[in-house]
Amino acid sequence: MQKFIDLKNVATEKYQQISNKPRVRIGTDISGVAAGSIEISNEFAKHVSENNLDITLSHVGGFGLSYAEPLIDVEMPDGSRVFYSNVSLNNVKNIVDSHIINGNPLYDIAFAYTGNLTNTNNTPEFYELPENKLQKKILTENFGEIDPTDIYEYIANDGYSALAKALFEMEADEVHKEILDSKLRGRGGAAFPTGVKLGFLKGSDAKEKYILCNCEEGDPGAWNDKAILESDPHRLIEGLILAAIATNASNGIIFIRHGNDIPIERTKQAIKLSYDHGLLGENILGSNFSFDAEVVLVGESYVAGEETALMEAVEGKRAMPRYKPPFPAAFGVWGHPSNINNIKTIANLTSIIAKGSEWFTSIGTETSTGTAILCLSGNINKPGLYEIEMGTTIRTVIEDICGGIPNNKELKLLQTGGPLGGVLNSSKLDTSIDFDSMAKAGAILGSGGIIVADQDVDVIDLTRMLIAFCQFESCGKCFPCRLGNSHLLEILNRICGKTSTDSDIELMRKVGTNMQQGSLCGHGQLGFNPIKSALEYFKDDFDTALDTSIGEPNVTINIPTRANRY
């Protein structure tokens, strides 16, 4: 424990040094970079250098407010902070000259503020904004606050305190029981009880056991896995080690899709820093526990998100699901017992161990404890990433947090849980966002992506695009999925092309049933979901399309292939 206390003291001292001078935080997560934050950062650096200013210029993760990017946070030594949204290159010199040098914030272009400021010209208090006030931040509490590349900032903000607690104040069985008692369920889509799943690995006496963290995240409309890696990678590493303590695992693998450069670089750097400070490797923090972790990159395969396909990919093979049994806890990666969980699941362990299972179960619902990170995109006024308490209604998120639909248009549908999720209409706005309520409504929470569509969107064409994605991403190992998705796409092409017949709806249902019953993994088993829910909530749209068909089913259909993407 003394090694951690010494490390915490060093981190606190270094963090205090940062707080004693002006600090500019620039969000360089995926949303910020897409909006031009790197160029803004370079412009700030130029003016800071020209004026020989002693300030801290930090790249942080975003607050999740994609609509406000580039979002610049200027904090002065007295603790006051002013946030400037949608900052352009032309704004930078004025912010430096007026705010940083002369101490006069530019309230006329300010987005929000915190601290004891005057003459704010009705600029709102940042943490009172609905998009912040209505959130419940656990996994995202450090987003936009700390530099993800600085391990000392994480430690100074209570980082790795849960690890120290687990190593020196708890037994491995107590760590596992705390996870069990938290009722945490998997955040990757299946929602299986995490403590139970870890228990399968805990029961193995094998010397070499693996904890695998799935950050594949191929769902269109979801970027929360990447956001954790970009904004707070040490939270994941700490959670990974805690899972290892609970199961006596020896090795960890963080699986990231190739091409996500910022998450990859920050995670690799965080692992290196953890090794350098005795938080990974032999005898962590002077304890008797040892654990090694690494990042593994695998190609762009959506099916690699399935746990057994992930193991195949880690081993350098084509990402295709394995037959079960044997299950991963008995025969996993390279034949060693393994446990695989989503990044959000593992990252939650840090707070659970630090604050206790009783605290965690006080958040959310009886069967869906904790929070959910949602990614809102599409026809919405305030697209972004928001962490809400389980049990919050969809209406609260859409209307109160995200500001509703642009141009006073009506909401027509919500596409939830990725391409294997469901399509809901506006009658389901009062549905509670939790695993069971979403499933009952005919959708899934899945990865947390919610695509919002207004009255102008063609629901059949949207459904066709989802099925086209599923068809393209099928690994092809089992024919119910390989052929089923192709047949569904053929039928939807006919409906969209006004060449369908009355029997096509029933034909889709039969194909969907065969896929559900015969497919090897969730890709095929859930592949009919978008059509099933669309038929339930938008049957009139399909009936209208069938009524206007010319009845010529024998037409040329362009089927997407990996050589010719749809």
Side-chain angles (χ1 to χ4, degrees):
M1 178 63 90
Q2 187 58 46
K3 284 190 175 183
F4 177 73
I5 293 173
D6 294 342
L7 187 57
K8 179 72 176 284
N9 289 337
V10 172
T12 302
E13 182 179 350
K14 288 181 176 294
Y15 190 64
Q16 187 60 47
Q17 292 173 359
I18 295 175
S19 303
N20 289 336
K21 56 185 178 180
R23 180 176 187 178
V24 177
R25 293 179 175 92
I26 301 176
T28 53
D29 63 344
I30 189 170
S31 295
V33 171
S37 63
I38 298 298
E39 292 78 6
I40 297 295
S41 176
N42 293 337
E43 188 72 7
F44 263 102
K46 183 183 79 170
H47 289 288
V48 167
S49 177
E50 288 175 353
N51 290 280
N52 195 28
L53 299 176
D54 182 20
I55 73 169
T56 301
L57 186 62
S58 298
H59 284 188
V60 298
F63 278 100
L65 310 181
S66 301
Y67 71 93
E69 296 289 355
L71 182 63
I72 308 302
D73 169 11
V74 179
E75 181 177 12
M76 302 304 282
D78 64 0
S80 64
R81 298 166 70 174
V82 176
F83 300 85
Y84 299 97
S85 64
N86 306 122
V87 174
S88 68
L89 291 174
N90 295 330
N91 296 140
V92 175
K93 186 178 187 305
N94 290 336
I95 294 173
V96 172
D97 291 345
S98 180
H99 191 167
I100 297 175
I101 296 178
N102 296 314
N104 298 315
L106 300 174
Y107 296 116
D108 55 333
I109 64 171
F111 168 64
Y113 76 96
T114 67
N116 297 319
L117 296 171
T118 58
N119 300 320
T120 57
N121 294 338
N122 297 318
T123 301
E125 164 68 49
F126 184 74
Y127 294 105
E128 289 300 313
L129 291 173
E131 52 267 44
N132 280 289
K133 187 177 181 180
L134 296 177
Q135 292 191 62
K136 180 69 176 179
K137 296 191 176 186
I138 297 176
L139 295 178
T140 62
E141 64 179 349
N142 287 332
F143 282 27
E145 297 286 348
I146 69 170
D147 181 346
T149 66
D150 188 341
I151 192 172
Y152 291 121
E153 282 204 51
Y154 179 72
I155 294 172
N157 286 274
D158 293 327
Y160 288 110
S161 60
L163 173 60
K165 179 181 177 181
L167 286 173
F168 301 109
E169 299 176 14
M170 302 174 71
E171 299 293 333
D173 287 345
E174 293 179 291
V175 175
H176 180 239
K177 186 177 187 305
E178 205 70 45
I179 298 169
L180 272 172
D181 292 346
S182 73
K183 301 181 183 179
L184 174 68
R185 294 168 67 178
R187 268 32 179 187
F192 191 82
T194 305
V196 174
K197 192 172 185 179
L198 289 172
F200 298 152
L201 183 64
K202 181 175 180 288
S204 170
D205 294 328
K207 183 177 179 181
E208 192 170 344
K209 298 192 288 187
Y210 283 78
I211 297 288
L212 277 70
C213 176
N214 185 356
C215 310
E216 194 275 339
E217 194 174 40
D219 285 358
W223 62 95
N224 44 33
D225 289 3
K226 291 185 281 288
I228 293 173
L229 299 179
E230 293 169 326
S231 303
D232 200 7
H234 285 286
R235 180 179 295 272
L236 166 63
I237 294 171
E238 186 173 7
L240 196 70
I241 305 171
L242 291 170
I245 292 171
T247 57
N248 196 30
S250 58
N251 295 80
I253 293 176
I254 301 173
F255 174 97
I256 309 175
R257 178 182 281 222
H258 176 78
N260 294 315
D261 293 339
I262 297 175
I264 291 168
E265 290 169 6
R266 290 185 177 174
T267 306
K268 285 184 174 180
Q269 184 176 9
I271 288 177
K272 180 182 182 302
L273 289 171
S274 297
Y275 272 109
D276 290 345
H277 291 82
L279 296 159
L280 280 172
E282 293 292 323
N283 304 118
I284 293 173
L285 292 176
S287 70
N288 295 322
F289 184 75
S290 302
F291 182 71
D292 290 300
E294 63 180 314
V295 169
V296 172
L297 307 182
V298 185
E300 299 174 357
S301 171
Y302 182 70
V303 175
E306 195 274 338
E307 64 176 14
T308 59
L310 184 153
M311 293 189 298
E312 292 285 287
V314 167
E315 293 175 6
K317 305 171 187 174
R318 183 179 174 186
M320 302 175 77
R322 297 177 180 177
Y323 291 99
K324 294 181 287 189
F327 294 95
F331 188 91
V333 65
W334 294 300
H336 301 293
S338 304
N339 172 275
I340 304 169
N341 269 300
N342 175 264
I343 174 176
K344 296 183 290 292
T345 310
I346 294 175
N348 261 305
L349 302 184
T350 300
S351 296
I352 290 171
I353 299 303
K355 299 180 181 180
S357 58
E358 187 175 344
W359 164 81
F360 193 77
T361 56
S362 70
I363 302 166
T365 70
E366 177 64 27
T367 58
S368 298
T369 56
T371 61
I373 304 182
L374 306 178
C375 296
L376 277 292
S377 60
N379 303 130
I380 194 79
N381 275 316
K382 296 178 180 178
L385 180 150
Y386 304 97
E387 185 173 10
I388 54 95
E389 184 171 1
M390 288 281 194
T392 304
T393 65
I394 297 176
R395 184 184 300 279
T396 297
V397 174
I398 298 296
E399 297 180 357
D400 298 336
I401 296 178
C402 295
I405 313 302
N407 304 316
N408 295 317
K409 292 187 177 181
E410 295 182 4
L411 183 146
K412 182 172 183 177
L413 66 86
L414 303 168
Q415 199 282 315
T416 70
L420 301 176
V423 176
L424 304 177
N425 64 10
S426 58
S427 71
K428 293 299 179 180
L429 279 176
D430 292 314
T431 299
S432 169
I433 298 176
D434 63 71
F435 298 117
D436 303 314
S437 298
M438 294 289 284
K440 186 177 180 180
I444 58 175
L445 182 55
S447 59
I450 298 180
I451 300 174
V452 183
D454 65 21
Q455 63 199 46
D456 298 330
V457 171
D458 185 330
V459 65
I460 303 177
D461 193 48
L462 175 63
T463 306
R464 178 174 65 159
M465 286 191 289
L466 295 172
I467 297 301
F469 178 90
C470 294
Q471 191 271 352
F472 176 81
E473 291 291 350
S474 173
C475 76
K477 183 170 185 176
C478 56
F479 69 86
C481 175
R482 181 177 73 242
L483 299 181
N485 275 306
S486 295
H487 290 328
L488 291 177
L489 186 57
E490 286 183 22
I491 299 168
L492 288 169
N493 273 331
R494 290 202 295 265
I495 296 175
C496 289
K498 309 299 182 185
T499 60
S500 58
T501 64
D502 291 338
S503 63
D504 277 337
I505 300 298
E506 184 58 29
L507 179 57
M508 284 197 296
R509 295 187 190 278
K510 289 181 178 179
V511 172
T513 299
N514 289 335
M515 290 172 61
Q516 183 180 21
Q517 295 178 350
S519 295
L520 183 59
C521 80
H523 191 81
Q525 294 163 5
L526 302 175
F528 185 60
N529 270 4
I531 299 175
K532 180 181 178 181
S533 55
L535 287 171
E536 178 179 354
Y537 294 112
F538 298 97
K539 184 65 164 57
D540 290 345
D541 293 66
F542 283 89
D543 290 340
T544 300
L546 291 173
D547 288 342
T548 56
S549 290
I550 60 176
E552 298 179 4
N554 297 318
V555 296
T556 300
I557 304 297
N558 294 319
I559 301 298
T561 65
R562 291 196 174 273
N564 179 26
R565 187 164 186 161
Y566 182 74

